[in-house]
Amino acid sequence: MEAIGSLTGGVAHDFNNVLQVINGNLQMLAADAGGHPATLRRLSAATDAVKRGAKLAAHLLAFARRQPLSPTVLNPRRLLRGMSEMLHRALGETVRVDTVLSDDLWNVQVDRNQLENALLNLAINARDAMQADGTLTVRAANRVLDAAFCRGKPELSPGEYVVFSVTDTGAGMPPEILQRVFEPFFTTKPDGHGTGLGLSMVFGFVRQSGGHTLIDSEVGRGTTVSLFFPRCCEAETSEAVDETAAPSGGGETILVVEDDADVRLTAVEMLAQLGYKVLTASSGDAAIEFIDSDVPIDLLFTDVVMPGKVKSVELAQRAAARSPAVPTLFTSGYTRDEIVHHGKLDAGITLLSKPYRRDDLARKVRGVLRAGAATPAGGCLPVSVADGQIAACVPPAVYDPGREPRQESQHVAAEAAPRSHSPLDAPRSPGTPARVLLVEDDADSREAFSDLLNALGLDCTAVASAEEALPLVPAQHFDILFTDLTLPGMSGDSLARAMLRQQPGIRVLLVSGYGKSAQIGDAIPGARLLGKPLDIAELRRELADWIDHTEEAS
């Protein structure tokens, strides 16, 4: 079981990351698709395929007892009554459903969603066994188990239990089939009609929840599957009412920590589209520097399993120690043991499992922000381009806080100085866009900035370092240098000085995570310093001459 758990956990983690990228982009495409029926139909089909993939990964984790559970105290009578309509809809009109509930049922502590899924799975299996014609009986009863009943069942201890059972009037199973029903991928259904993970998922979930599963079947007499859960003496957990519409952000700043670049970019775009400012880090080591800085953060949104020395739980603890405290929303396709112990999420933990939908993300983020009483900050707006808009909201901040600028002696000169105009600032020929050299080592930030500059009508050449940029300078004329201040080799300010020696009329825009308080060495005449999160309106003002000329030409 340990080997299967490690294998399925690793597969689920990587598989769910892939599904998250696909699902996130599908959600954003759907938001931009308008009312085009064919496009929406194709997006819906692709989304359904993602759901099937996610369910497969969840079943593997459930069998291996590695899925993160969020147990609450449930009233079995209320649970089964709430499932009545869903069961009838899933089983069809030809299957009669009888529900038998004992009086004064005890409460159980279990993950509601997983228990509902398990009972629904058993009901669908029963429907198939009856060939969609028969009687399905769902029971819930209190039972006190003695030592004699528990003998030979090491997972069961004598005591008080609530037993959920699903009984069908189907053909039943012979002993050789019965002894294999909980094996993963074992199925008696024809090819293409079952994965063989349904009963193994139920088995793993119940065992992880501290319960036990028994199955009784006889050829010609039908089958009964019973799920035993220990009695819980606590009061029923009140249910939170889910919002009908996905809530939008109010401009709060969210730090996204995710080591997978594609997943990180998808999360950034979804959050920006929802109206949040977004900062990114590719590891806990990079994010901790940002957590320890004075830059405002309203929410930490972090993957659970990450490389590096600083793990997600430590990161969340450091965020909570800030003043004001920063709440954390965890996300993962597989949590290992960082936030799950004894099969349950640790107290106070909020987890959004991958792959998640845009609306799920919106609700979870809003809920955690409300719970943490976060202070709203700025906003995130679409960028106007001539007479239209960029389809998706451009994140006002996408950067890795592990690349903060060096603290040196002097502020950038001319921060408040008037702009100087050289011959290169003169109006350009019609139809010729200004050329921008963008230097940014973070791939996601580089892509976001490049898309923005191109959308503004500029001709953008994007590279990852000063060392890549310098060979381009003698061969090409650039009107604007747009560079991060801190780069892996030569710094952005050193690059600017080198470029000014070769192209004296170039416009220099430096960008820093420390904002306008960033310090560099010697002054750079005419340079302007922009802070991250990037203010789109300010960028437009800095590039107004070039943008206006481009728009006039078009």
Side-chain angles (χ1 to χ4, degrees):
M1 286 301 298
E2 185 64 28
I4 291 173
S6 298
L7 174 63
T8 56
V11 170
H13 177 262
D14 291 342
F15 187 48
N16 280 329
N17 271 345
V18 172
L19 290 177
Q20 179 53 43
V21 174
I22 298 170
N23 196 46
N25 281 283
L26 289 172
Q27 294 291 313
M28 288 183 286
L29 284 171
D32 295 334
H36 196 280
T39 299
L40 291 174
R41 187 172 61 253
R42 292 177 185 126
L43 290 173
S44 177
T47 302
D48 288 343
V50 169
K51 290 178 182 177
R52 289 197 299 273
K55 188 176 291 186
L56 176 64
H59 285 179
L60 284 169
L61 287 175
F63 170 73
R65 307 171 210 167
R66 295 299 182 95
Q67 63 183 336
L69 301 178
S70 299
T72 57
V73 182
L74 303 179
N75 178 299
R77 180 179 296 273
R78 211 178 325 274
L79 174 86
L80 290 174
R81 282 180 175 170
M83 289 186 64
S84 177
E85 182 181 347
M86 177 171 60
L87 285 172
H88 282 90
R89 192 168 57 245
L91 301 180
E93 297 180 357
T94 58
V95 175
R96 175 181 171 182
V97 180
D98 291 339
T99 303
V100 181
L101 305 176
S102 299
D103 296 332
D104 301 322
L105 280 169
W106 298 325
N107 289 342
V108 293
Q109 188 172 30
V110 67
D111 187 305
R112 170 185 291 275
N113 291 333
Q114 296 300 332
L115 177 55
E116 288 179 344
N117 287 340
L119 292 173
L120 181 61
N121 198 294
L122 293 176
I124 291 172
N125 276 353
R127 178 202 64 190
D128 294 344
M130 296 185 293
Q131 298 182 351
D133 186 14
T135 300
L136 178 79
T137 305
V138 180
R139 290 186 175 86
N142 300 331
R143 285 195 62 178
V144 179
L145 304 184
D146 57 18
F149 183 88
C150 297
R151 193 173 296 120
K153 306 179 185 70
E155 298 82 9
L156 269 180
S157 302
E160 297 176 326
Y161 290 81
V162 176
V163 183
F164 297 85
S165 62
V166 177
T167 302
D168 64 61
T169 56
M173 291 178 280
E176 62 272 17
I177 297 295
L178 189 61
Q179 66 182 0
R180 299 189 60 192
V181 291
F182 292 132
E183 293 179 13
F185 301 108
F186 175 77
T187 180
T188 58
K189 296 178 182 178
D191 289 345
H193 291 269
T195 61
L197 285 170
L199 283 176
S200 63
M201 180 273 292
V202 173
F203 174 83
F205 153 67
V206 175
R207 186 73 62 85
Q208 188 177 344
S209 301
H212 186 70
T213 306
L214 289 179
I215 185 165
D216 179 50
S217 186
E218 186 178 341
V219 175
R221 300 286 299 271
T223 301
T224 297
V225 181
S226 301
L227 313 180
F228 293 73
F229 293 98
R231 176 186 182 181
C232 178
C233 296
E234 298 177 19
E236 181 183 8
T237 304
S238 58
E239 294 185 48
V241 179
D242 195 13
E243 302 178 46
T244 55
S248 298
E252 295 90 345
T253 299
I254 299 176
L255 172 59
V256 175
V257 189
E258 168 64 61
D259 60 299
D260 187 297
D262 291 332
V263 176
R264 187 168 66 245
L265 179 59
T266 304
V268 165
E269 290 179 343
M270 282 196 287
L271 288 167
Q273 201 177 62
L274 288 167
Y276 295 99
K277 294 181 180 178
V278 187
L279 314 172
T280 70
S282 59
S283 68
D285 297 355
I288 201 67
E289 296 182 27
F290 189 47
I291 292 291
D292 290 343
S293 75
D294 295 327
V295 179
I297 312 171
D298 297 298
L299 175 71
L300 171 64
F301 181 45
T302 179
D303 192 20
V304 173
V305 182
M306 290 188 300
K309 295 180 180 179
V310 180
K311 301 303 180 185
S312 56
V313 173
E314 180 184 350
L315 197 61
Q317 292 168 344
R318 295 280 283 271
R322 264 184 152 223
S323 182
V326 176
T328 298
L329 172 60
F330 290 95
T331 183
S332 184
Y334 168 51
T335 58
R336 289 186 192 164
D337 297 320
E338 275 86 349
I339 61 174
V340 176
H341 294 90
H342 308 295
K344 302 175 184 177
L345 284 172
D346 293 343
I349 294 292
T350 305
L351 176 69
L352 179 61
S353 295
K354 297 175 184 174
Y356 49 80
R357 298 172 62 252
R358 178 177 173 272
D359 288 357
D360 298 332
L361 174 64
R363 292 191 182 96
K364 283 284 188 180
V365 166
R366 204 72 238 157
V368 175
L369 283 171
R370 273 198 214 101
T375 303
C380 173
L381 301 172
V383 181
S384 296
V385 181
D387 297 326
Q389 292 182 329
I390 296 179
C393 178
V394 177
V398 185
Y399 78 101
D400 189 328
R403 309 183 329 272
E404 296 299 344
R406 301 182 306 276
Q407 297 296 308
E408 296 183 11
S409 58
Q410 191 173 352
H411 283 76
V412 174
E415 175 54 40
R419 291 182 55 176
S420 60
H421 291 268
S422 72
L424 291 174
D425 289 320
R428 303 185 58 78
S429 301
T432 306
R435 294 181 59 83
V436 182
L437 178 58
L438 168 64
V439 188
E440 167 63 66
D441 63 306
D442 181 79
D444 295 338
S445 299
R446 188 166 63 250
E447 182 176 352
F449 284 139
S450 180
D451 288 346
L452 172 58
L453 293 169
N454 285 323
L456 290 172
L458 305 173
D459 181 5
C460 181
T461 300
V463 295
S465 68
E467 287 73 16
E468 289 183 54
L470 284 174
L472 303 176
V473 178
Q476 301 182 42
H477 169 83
F478 292 100
D479 300 289
I480 303 158
L481 171 64
F482 186 87
T483 180
D484 192 19
L485 194 54
T486 301
L487 296 168
M490 176 188 287
S491 64
D493 55 308
S494 297
L495 171 64
R497 295 186 189 94
M499 287 196 65
L500 282 166
R501 286 194 291 270
Q502 299 184 60
Q503 298 190 21
I506 196 168
R507 178 88 170 126
V508 176
L509 298 178
L510 301 171
V511 188
S512 171
Y514 276 125
K516 296 181 180 180
S517 64
Q519 296 179 341
I520 63 170
D522 298 333
I524 303 175
R528 297 286 288 178
L529 181 62
L530 305 179
K532 295 177 179 178
L534 180 63
D535 185 275
I536 304 300
E538 183 181 11
L539 178 62
R540 285 184 59 86
R541 287 194 297 270
E542 294 295 339
L543 300 174
D545 289 349
W546 313 111
I547 296 171
D548 292 344
H549 296 154
T550 301
E551 292 176 354
E552 289 167 6
S554 61

